[in-house]
Amino acid sequence: MKRLLIAILLTAFLVPVLPAQEMPDFSRIPAEQFLQYTIHRLKPDPQKEIWMKMNGKIQHRRKGFSTLTSPIRLGVLFMPARAMGVLSLDDGAESYRLTQQFTVPPTPPTCIPAGNGQDAAKAKLPVFGLSPNDLMLGFLYRKPVREEAQTHVSIYNTRVFVMFLPKGTDGEKDFDQYARVYISTEYLVPLKVEWFKEDPVGKDPEPYRSFEITAIKKINGYVMVSKMRLDGPDWRTRIDFSHLDIGEVDENGAPKDLFNLK
């Protein structure tokens, strides 16, 4: 069965393209069932191991400050029971180890600093507006507050859910958060996320942070995200993965430089 891969920075989705007769109408099935499908389709092909490399540049602009730019690199190995990877900035000066266990019921992914003596106070990842936990889709493992009206993100129809994220979790913030998540009814992939400091119901507030996929590329029979954006009230971050590669692990194993920080 042909498979489609869409990688959202810290998490990759191995999404099977089902024959039309096997495909439920994801725009109509119950919300709980839809979210279960979304989480379960994060799992890789149980018969294969797949590696992925993404290299590029991340740029952050904030009002009143100089533009920050850094190389960014992500290497991931997908195995039947789990996925593991390394994310690095500044040619390895700042790095994180990522792990996702494919369990039933599903468990949230984990992310820990990888560098010895890495100074959390000087970390660029939060300055760029990125959080490993929420970009690893920790919000999908929270019970939704409600489902809102379906809408389009670019050309894709999406179902929209609001999730409650208690302080100290899913982003490591010291305040409660709400995430409005736009999930494609075609691929079951979150295409856009907006974070709020209070429940946005009936208020239409501006999100304090938002994320959106802006470009994809076909690589070796897979589709990978190549560009994405994050925005806040007075800042914006753009990520451009100019070098993408992916393949199945063969008799020679995964590429030896898969987890290299540079």
Side-chain angles (χ1 to χ4, degrees):
M1 181 183 295
K2 183 179 178 182
R3 302 181 75 84
L4 171 71
L5 185 143
I6 298 182
I8 301 185
L9 188 57
L10 304 181
T11 305
F13 301 84
L14 295 166
V15 181
V17 180
L18 300 174
Q21 65 270 23
E22 298 180 20
M23 184 77 77
D25 186 346
F26 291 121
S27 66
R28 295 179 179 272
I29 64 174
E32 183 177 355
Q33 186 179 1
F34 177 81
L35 290 172
Q36 288 176 348
Y37 266 109
T38 300
I39 292 174
H40 288 321
R41 294 183 86 188
L42 306 185
K43 298 172 64 176
D45 189 323
Q47 304 301 321
K48 298 178 181 179
E49 293 187 355
I50 297 174
W51 56 266
M52 177 188 72
K53 293 193 292 186
M54 306 173 72
N55 289 272
K57 178 179 71 174
I58 181 170
Q59 185 178 79
H60 176 79
R61 294 181 179 179
R62 187 177 295 267
K63 185 177 180 180
F65 293 87
S66 300
T67 299
L68 296 178
T69 301
S70 170
I72 184 169
R73 187 183 191 280
L74 174 65
V76 181
L77 177 63
F78 298 93
M79 297 168 286
R82 63 182 177 133
M84 52 189 291
V86 172
L87 170 76
S88 68
L89 302 176
D90 281 345
D91 293 327
E94 181 178 341
S95 58
Y96 302 87
R97 297 192 184 279
L98 318 172
T99 305
Q100 171 69 72
Q101 302 289 341
F102 300 118
T103 60
V104 178
T107 55
T110 61
C111 173
I112 60 173
N116 293 327
Q118 191 166 297
D119 189 347
K122 297 180 179 179
K124 285 188 175 180
L125 201 65
V127 176
F128 286 138
L130 303 176
S131 167
N133 284 330
D134 52 40
L135 287 176
M136 289 173 74
L137 308 187
F139 47 78
L140 285 180
Y141 299 89
R142 295 290 169 178
K143 186 175 181 178
V145 176
R146 64 182 173 277
E147 182 174 6
E148 300 184 337
Q150 296 187 29
T151 187
H152 278 74
V153 174
S154 184
I155 63 174
Y156 301 102
N157 184 66
T158 64
R159 291 181 70 165
V160 184
F161 296 88
V162 174
M163 312 291 195
F164 175 62
L165 314 178
K167 63 183 178 180
T169 61
D170 295 324
E172 302 170 353
K173 302 295 184 183
D174 59 0
F175 53 84
D176 293 341
Q177 300 178 86
Y178 291 83
R180 178 180 281 152
V181 186
Y182 300 73
I183 304 175
S184 165
T185 57
E186 180 177 359
Y187 296 125
L188 301 189
V189 170
L191 298 178
K192 181 178 179 180
V193 186
E194 298 172 322
W195 287 270
F196 302 87
K197 295 182 179 179
E198 61 180 14
D199 190 342
V201 61
K203 303 172 185 177
D204 197 27
E206 285 292 321
Y208 80 89
R209 187 162 51 105
S210 64
F211 166 87
E212 187 172 349
I213 294 170
T214 57
I216 61 176
K217 288 183 179 180
K218 292 183 179 180
I219 308 291
N220 297 336
Y222 294 89
V223 175
M224 300 178 68
V225 170
S226 59
K227 293 183 181 181
M228 58 201 73
R229 59 183 292 169
L230 293 102
D231 293 276
D234 59 355
W235 61 268
R236 65 179 186 176
T237 295
R238 301 293 181 263
I239 304 169
D240 182 359
F241 287 110
S242 53
H243 300 284
L244 302 170
D245 201 4
I246 183 171
E248 296 180 12
V249 176
D250 56 22
E251 62 275 8
N252 297 316
K256 296 189 184 328
D257 64 346
L258 182 61
F259 297 137
N260 285 3
L261 298 179
K262 295 185 178 182

